[in-house]
Amino acid sequence: MACIGDADPFTAAIPATKVELTVSFCVLYTQGIANREWREFGRTEVIDNTLNPDFVRKFILDYFFEERQNLLGSLGSRLEKPLIGIPGKKCGTIIVRAEELSNCRESVMLQFCGNKLDKKDFFGKSDPFLVFYRSNEDGSYTICHKTEVVKNTLDPVWQAFKIPVRALCNGDYDRSIKVEVYDWDRDGGHDFIGEFSTSYREMSRSQSQFHIYEVTNSFLAKINFTVAIDFTASNGNPSQPTSLHYMSPYQLNDYAMALRAVGEIIQDYDSDKLFPALGFGAKLPPDGRVSHEFPLNGNPQNPYCNGIDGVLEAYYQSLKSVRLYGPTHFSPVINHVARYASAVTDGSQYFILLIISDGVITDMAQTKESIVNAASLPMSIIIVGVGPAEFDEMIELDGDEERISSQGRYAERDIVQFVPFRDYIDRRGNHILSMARLAKEVLAEIPDQFLSYMRTRGIKPGPLPPPYTPCVLPANHPLLTRRVSRI
């Protein structure tokens, strides 16, 4: 909140300058000097479904040199304070930033369009929108504009918009402007597609020129995806329709649906599309030994399958050759992936293990220890429970309510996401919709888990490539961004 002198229309002085406040909250009140009354100055827009709002609307306050006005005197003109109001409850934090505005009176009309953006939705295409940020003197960024959402396309054309130049760069034509591209989600958990940087000077060059920018995701770690499937006898005889492993000629079973739902999304981030596929809890030919870590393709030296279709083919072949047995041990397959993850801790690679299982974990203590150890590695674990069983142990491993521990050691971070598939099955029998719901839920925590590892290790994104040199393009060329006119 700011304390500002009362405004008298008959005696009002000319302000020395203007100050812009960026407030991550809803309502701004100012207090008069004379009567000390609080008056509502303005309100931000409403942002749905988020506990971390970053509002676009700014408050422009007149600053008078000759009057006492309590604004911001904190380091970097940034003030951060805890919200109060409910006794005994943490209500969050309010962040206010102030910057003196230049006298720049220019406005600019901009239009952007995209070409071949990343597909983020399993069911349909992306729903992209742009968020613009201007850089601050301390290296941070302040949001200054947000476009509308263009639904279900990878080649969006956003509406042209007019914006004051001082909102983009405060009159400094060479100040960096960052543009982030997101895929809109109804629940507020918008997916990051990528970003690029530019400047007003670059965008304001000759109106006959178009500007093309490559949208990049700064963390370029290679994703390594591994699948582990439960082959214990509790799944039922695969030749019987009641079995969770039953291979119907008409539809996928729950294991295959879960595998395809998650794998179809993950494989877009795995450049070589070669996936190790493991099984556990089966007796293997020819001697019938029980294994909790066997390759589905039968090749221990090269357990990689070519794409998700290759994994499914190896899964179906294994059902014909192994005997379902038990017990249900998770720790061997977790340790298997952890061995590889422990060899690459520089941020260049990240490992994701998908475990699909039907029931009770019989090596719970060892599994907890394996997860605690893996939490310090570049690794995430997705567990999908199939069938009607209770999944109390798997819920405990998830760690959302209480951080998992083993022998007095707590996991460094939460790396497990558990989801019971039955909660996402469409009751009308739409398997595509069921898979889309499952994929969205199980993959929701992966970006934050990935970033938490990078941040705790001090691994920063690589530098963005320099913007492309502007060039004259034909009118029908697919563009990523186009400057329309200058006002």
Side-chain angles (χ1 to χ4, degrees):
M1 297 183 181
C3 182
I4 308 294
D6 290 326
D8 185 335
F10 298 103
T11 62
I14 299 175
T17 186
K18 293 182 182 290
V19 176
E20 176 188 272
L21 298 184
T22 301
V23 183
S24 294
F25 199 47
C26 289
V27 184
L28 179 70
Y29 292 86
T30 60
Q31 187 181 50
I33 294 295
N35 55 23
R36 311 299 293 175
E37 289 182 357
W38 289 105
R39 297 178 181 176
E40 181 177 326
F41 185 86
R43 298 188 176 212
T44 68
E45 75 277 15
V46 175
I47 300 180
D48 294 331
N49 299 318
T50 179
L51 298 179
N52 301 289
D54 197 357
F55 294 99
V56 174
R57 185 183 174 191
K58 305 296 190 291
F59 301 111
I60 308 298
L61 305 177
D62 289 332
Y63 177 72
F64 298 91
F65 176 79
E66 69 278 9
E67 295 182 9
R68 179 181 177 182
Q69 293 175 275
N70 298 322
L71 292 175
L72 290 178
S74 59
L75 184 64
S77 295
R78 183 181 186 274
L79 179 67
E80 185 170 331
K81 283 201 166 190
L83 294 172
I84 58 175
I86 303 178
K89 182 178 180 181
K90 293 182 178 179
C91 301
T93 303
I94 182 171
I95 302 170
V96 183
R97 180 184 294 279
E99 181 177 2
E100 182 179 352
L101 294 178
S102 71
N103 290 322
C104 178
R105 294 290 185 262
E106 282 185 271
S107 292
V108 64
M109 186 76 77
L110 298 171
Q111 184 173 27
F112 290 76
C113 47
N115 179 244
K116 296 181 180 179
L117 299 180
D118 272 357
K119 180 178 181 293
K120 293 295 183 181
D121 292 338
F122 180 86
F123 193 62
K125 299 179 181 178
S126 294
D127 304 315
F129 66 95
L130 302 177
V131 182
F132 292 75
Y133 300 86
R134 73 160 183 258
S135 59
N136 301 311
E137 293 179 357
D138 62 358
S140 62
Y141 283 86
T142 297
I143 189 170
C144 58
H145 183 74
K146 188 182 296 182
T147 69
E148 78 282 4
V149 175
V150 181
K151 291 293 192 72
N152 197 32
T153 180
L154 302 181
D155 304 298
V157 178
W158 289 280
Q159 296 177 10
F161 62 93
K162 182 180 179 182
I163 186 172
V165 171
R166 71 180 183 185
L168 275 175
C169 61
N170 201 14
D172 180 356
Y173 289 7
D174 296 309
R175 182 184 289 203
S176 176
I177 299 169
K178 182 173 69 172
V179 183
E180 294 181 343
V181 189
Y182 287 91
D183 170 36
W184 177 86
D185 284 330
R186 187 179 302 276
D187 63 4
H190 311 307
D191 300 316
F192 180 67
I193 294 176
E195 66 183 17
F196 63 91
S197 294
T198 184
S199 67
Y200 177 66
R201 188 179 302 280
E202 182 175 348
M203 290 192 294
S204 62
R205 288 171 179 154
S206 171
Q207 295 184 23
S208 64
Q209 293 179 336
F210 297 91
H211 302 275
I212 298 177
Y213 300 95
E214 181 179 1
V215 175
T216 61
N217 194 326
S218 300
F219 279 114
L220 299 177
K222 180 184 184 299
I223 300 298
N224 297 282
F225 180 52
T226 301
V227 177
I229 296 178
D230 183 340
F231 281 79
T232 57
S234 56
N235 286 280
N237 188 335
S239 65
Q240 300 298 316
T242 55
S243 172
L244 293 170
H245 281 305
Y246 179 63
M247 293 185 289
S248 168
Y250 306 108
Q251 66 184 43
L252 299 174
N253 63 35
D254 283 1
Y255 277 90
M257 277 199 289
L259 173 58
R260 185 170 287 283
V262 179
E264 289 284 1
I265 301 294
I266 291 291
Q267 72 174 358
D268 288 338
Y269 300 91
D270 191 319
S271 57
D272 59 19
K273 305 289 190 295
L274 296 175
F275 308 128
L278 308 174
F280 58 91
K283 284 189 173 182
L284 306 185
D287 56 0
R289 67 180 179 87
V290 178
S291 175
H292 300 289
E293 181 192 345
F294 64 90
L296 296 187
N297 65 3
N299 186 347
Q301 283 72 44
N302 185 14
Y304 295 90
C305 301
N306 189 8
I308 297 304
D309 288 335
V311 175
L312 284 170
E313 181 181 353
Y315 161 59
Y316 292 139
Q317 290 300 319
S318 290
L319 286 174
K320 298 175 183 178
S321 62
V322 306
R323 178 185 171 191
L324 274 59
Y325 199 68
T328 306
H329 287 178
F330 278 13
S331 60
V333 293
I334 295 174
N335 294 337
H336 175 97
V337 176
R339 284 194 295 271
Y340 290 92
S342 64
V344 189
T345 57
D346 60 356
S348 62
Q349 299 187 47
Y350 196 82
F351 296 77
I352 298 175
L353 169 62
L354 170 64
I355 301 175
I356 312 175
S357 179
D358 79 317
V360 178
I361 304 170
T362 51
D363 68 335
M364 191 64 173
Q366 293 88 340
T367 294
K368 284 185 176 181
E369 183 178 6
S370 297
I371 292 173
V372 170
N373 292 334
S376 63
L377 301 174
M379 178 175 169
S380 290
I381 302 170
I382 299 169
I383 304 174
V384 176
V386 296
E390 296 298 325
F391 298 117
D392 293 344
E393 289 90 350
M394 298 183 190
I395 293 172
E396 182 180 347
L397 296 179
D398 191 290
D400 283 345
E401 299 297 328
E402 183 177 348
R403 186 65 58 86
I404 190 172
S405 63
S406 173
Q407 299 180 357
R409 291 192 305 130
Y410 282 86
E412 180 180 310
R413 57 194 182 93
D414 177 20
I415 65 168
V416 179
Q417 170 78 333
F418 165 71
V419 171
F421 192 12
R422 60 179 177 238
D423 290 355
Y424 299 90
I425 294 178
D426 180 65
R427 304 307 173 191
R428 296 165 296 181
N430 187 331
H431 296 309
I432 294 178
L433 184 57
S434 299
M435 289 191 290
R437 289 172 174 170
L438 177 69
K440 182 176 179 61
E441 181 65 22
V442 301
L443 295 173
E445 294 185 9
I446 295 296
D448 285 341
Q449 292 174 1
F450 171 84
L451 290 174
S452 72
Y453 175 81
M454 298 298 176
R455 287 167 180 158
T456 56
R457 295 296 180 276
I459 301 171
K460 299 184 181 298
L464 292 173
Y468 285 97
T469 302
C471 58
V472 178
L473 298 173
N476 62 351
H477 194 282
L479 303 174
L480 287 184
T481 168
R482 178 166 67 93
R483 181 178 185 277
V484 176
S485 61
R486 181 178 174 185
I487 304 299

